[in-house]
Amino acid sequence: MAKESETSSPKLFLKVDSTIINIDKSDVLYVKAYGDYVKLITAGKTYTIKYKMTALEQKLSSEFIRIHRSYIVNINNIDNIEQNSLEINNEVIPIGVSHRKTLIDKLELL
């Protein structure tokens, strides 16, 4: 579990090539593993950075959850959830069998 001090900032500083970019965590729709890199997908842009998924998972706040070995999503941006996938911004993202219960438990279902 991430320490409170690690998740308290609403910002992420990303090193993209030789530039450091400041983005709001809330703007991140989801994160996708991409070999030795990760892609942070926002509504307007995709950022590719050299970072490990497990390390990034610890840096993100509690609104983010790992739903697959290759995906972390911002639960505030989930449009709908099917049996084995969910949709964010018209993108279908798979839900891993071992991650489904954790996702459902984290959501406030009515």
Side-chain angles (χ1 to χ4, degrees), residues 17-83:
D17 299 321
S18 62
T19 306
I20 296 175
I21 298 168
N22 182 4
I23 65 168
D24 286 320
K25 288 180 184 176
S26 62
D27 289 342
V28 178
L29 300 175
Y30 62 94
V31 179
K32 180 179 181 180
Y34 189 67
D36 291 338
Y37 295 81
V38 293
K39 289 187 175 199
L40 283 87
I41 290 82
T42 68
K45 189 162 180 155
T46 298
Y47 302 95
T48 303
I49 60 170
K50 189 165 178 64
Y51 217 80
K52 296 206 182 283
M53 282 287 276
T54 52
L56 184 59
E57 186 177 16
Q58 293 175 357
K59 293 275 186 198
L60 295 170
S61 50
S62 61
E63 301 90 56
F64 291 85
I65 185 167
R66 187 116 180 214
I67 61 154
H68 187 276
R69 69 183 184 99
S70 298
Y71 290 93
I72 298 170
V73 300
N74 183 335
I75 61 173
N76 296 320
N77 293 314
I78 296 172
D79 296 321
N80 61 63
I81 300 173
E82 297 290 333
Q83 184 64 29

